[in-house]
Amino acid sequence: MNSRASRTVLVTGTGRDRPGVTARLFAAMSEHAVDVIDIEQVVVRGRLILGILVTAPKADEAFRAAIARVASSLGMDIEFAPGSGDPIRKPGRTHVTVLGHPLRPAAMAAVAGRIAARKGNIDRIVRLAAYPVTSIELEVSGVDPAVLRVELAGEALSHGFDVAVQPSGLIRRAKRLVVMDVDSTLVQGEVIEMLAGRAGVLDQVAKVTAEAMSGELDFAESLRNRVRLLAGLPASAVDEVRESVRLTPGARTLVRTLKRLDYRFGIVSGGFTQVTDYLVEELGIDYAAANTLEVVDGRLTGELVGPILDRSGKADALRRFADAAGVPLSQTVAVGDGANDLDMIAQAGLGIAFNAKPILREAADTAVSVPYLDAVLYLLGISRPEIEAADAADGYTTPAPPLD
């Protein structure tokens, strides 16, 4: 241990936050022979809590008196506590991101309780978003992320909130490619069911779709069977469906923010290029892969053109997009909702189940059950105020937040 840091003093100040508080306290300290070892500061609803760990001064009483005088002039309460060396932090840093709509005290009690039971320590808590969902991030030390993830997943299911557990460090910040399913993820609903409605076979197609997404049927074979039911449908019906497709709330914000941060964004769909090509152009998407409906003489033939993009095909597309972007798979994020997203989710550095079927929720690193796609940003450590500040700089308008 550094001999200069063998004895330390922790100076903790609390009071109303205002400009210049930190500067004046450090200016007072600069008149004494001390070294700064550590600093922590947080502002909660206009109340400042500032902790400064310094080497113990030789003239301890004079040091304390000087700091106390400055604190009094600032209207702050000040405390001094003896220490012993550098602050001891437990090894292993983990980010725990909690989302609720709304977020109940029982959810936070469950999270904190599990961390405590594992002898972990909550070092820092910040709010990432107040609306349209509440997102709180905890920095935790001294726990195994893999074990904590499993335990918190059970609590999330019991108490009705979402939670993500990720190791801290460069790997979390290095995510650079997000690849997303389309139907019931990037867009609302299933395109093939919209087409089936126009063909008068919605009930048959919807039943098979549900079974395929739950993993009860082979996706490729079920897709062929569903597409055959569309034989004879005018190609104009595809145009009508494309125009009626609605993005999931938050989709534009998600893509716009990721692109602004120089992420690459890709989509993979068991649906059809007749729709995804439009999304690529509309949103400025970098990579896309989907199936193509065969059209002859202005009508659907009931067949597909080329190989089918199924569960393994989505995983292949993820690898292909990562290669094109020059990004290792460990730095990718995959988002989906059904069984045909399982392989893609498993390969990505972070797999997210978005309002997903149970089979995918159980396999993914984390699940998001709120209906806002931009909640994915919070799992990457991007806060709502940061999103809005960037939007404002670029001329985008966002709805006013609710009163805190």
Side-chain angles (χ1 to χ4, degrees):
M1 180 180 294
N2 189 319
S3 60
R4 293 187 308 162
S6 59
R7 291 179 56 250
T8 59
V9 173
L10 176 63
V11 182
T12 304
T14 59
R16 183 171 63 86
D17 186 36
R18 53 181 149 173
V21 169
T22 304
R24 288 188 61 184
L25 284 172
F26 276 109
M29 289 183 181
S30 69
E31 301 297 324
H32 301 264
V34 298
D35 295 335
V36 176
I37 304 300
D38 196 13
I39 306 168
E40 291 189 23
Q41 177 174 309
V42 63
V43 178
V44 181
R45 295 290 189 249
R47 293 287 296 177
L48 170 69
I49 303 172
L50 173 62
I52 307 169
L53 187 71
V54 298
T55 53
K58 292 181 179 179
D60 187 63
E61 289 187 9
F63 172 79
R64 294 185 183 217
I67 302 305
R69 282 195 299 272
V70 173
S72 177
S73 70
L74 293 169
M76 297 184 70
D77 295 323
I78 203 80
E79 293 182 3
F80 301 90
S84 58
D86 211 346
I88 300 174
R89 289 192 172 92
K90 295 184 178 182
R93 305 284 289 178
T94 302
H95 279 82
V96 177
T97 310
V98 182
L99 294 89
H101 184 58
L103 183 60
R104 304 293 189 188
M108 294 306 299
V111 171
R114 286 291 184 177
I115 293 169
R118 285 289 165 187
K119 308 300 183 184
N121 188 66
I122 301 173
D123 301 321
R124 183 170 180 261
I125 303 176
V126 296
R127 186 179 73 176
L128 296 178
Y131 77 99
V133 301
T134 301
S135 179
I136 304 295
E137 184 169 88
L138 299 84
E139 292 184 14
V140 179
S141 59
V143 293
D144 182 338
V147 173
L148 189 62
R149 181 184 297 119
V150 173
E151 294 185 350
L152 289 184
E155 296 288 359
L157 191 61
S158 298
H159 293 280
F161 64 94
D162 296 327
V163 64
V165 179
Q166 303 175 67
S168 299
L170 294 178
I171 193 66
R172 180 176 187 251
R173 304 176 189 175
K175 299 291 189 294
R176 275 290 168 262
L177 170 67
V178 176
V179 177
M180 183 170 294
D181 178 42
V182 175
D183 291 2
S184 298
T185 304
L186 183 64
V187 304
Q188 301 177 57
E190 300 284 330
V191 167
I192 195 167
E193 292 182 4
M194 299 177 194
L195 291 170
R198 285 165 170 77
V201 291
L202 177 57
D203 289 346
Q204 297 145 274
V205 168
K207 180 177 183 298
V208 177
T209 298
E211 292 173 345
M213 292 300 99
S214 298
E216 298 173 30
L217 296 176
D218 175 72
F219 177 82
E221 187 58 34
S222 72
L223 181 62
R224 290 191 186 94
N225 292 337
R226 285 176 286 166
V227 169
R228 288 184 186 119
L229 293 171
L230 305 178
L233 189 67
S236 59
V238 180
D239 297 332
E240 294 169 3
V241 165
R242 180 176 61 243
E243 293 173 0
S244 69
V245 164
R246 295 292 177 265
L247 293 170
T248 298
R252 289 187 186 278
T253 300
L254 171 69
V255 178
R256 181 172 67 245
T257 303
L258 291 176
K259 298 286 286 182
R260 185 183 284 134
L261 295 173
D262 201 31
Y263 281 67
R264 295 294 179 265
F265 188 82
I267 54 175
V268 288
S269 178
F272 313 112
T273 56
Q274 284 88 346
V275 172
T276 59
D277 287 350
Y278 162 76
L279 294 172
V280 167
E281 182 176 353
E282 176 74 9
L283 298 175
I285 292 170
D286 299 294
Y287 312 108
N291 298 300
T292 299
L293 293 165
E294 185 179 61
V295 179
V296 175
D297 296 331
R299 292 185 177 275
L300 303 188
T301 66
E303 301 296 333
L304 296 165
V305 178
I308 289 180
L309 186 79
D310 56 7
R311 174 172 161 175
S312 63
K314 286 189 172 186
D316 290 342
L318 172 66
R319 289 191 295 270
R320 191 166 65 250
F321 296 167
D323 287 343
V327 172
L329 286 173
S330 62
Q331 295 178 13
T332 64
V333 180
V335 187
D337 75 305
N340 65 326
D341 298 312
L342 278 166
D343 292 359
M344 174 178 73
I345 290 287
Q347 287 205 354
L350 175 64
I352 301 173
F354 182 75
N355 291 305
K357 308 299 184 294
I359 190 173
L360 190 68
R361 286 180 62 94
E362 293 171 5
D365 294 309
T366 188
V368 174
S369 57
V370 296
Y372 307 104
L373 197 54
D374 52 348
V376 169
L377 294 170
Y378 310 143
L379 305 184
L380 302 177
I382 303 168
S383 72
R384 173 60 62 179
E386 289 172 324
I387 296 167
E388 292 180 354
D391 278 347
D394 287 347
Y396 291 96
T397 58
T398 54
L403 293 176
D404 286 341

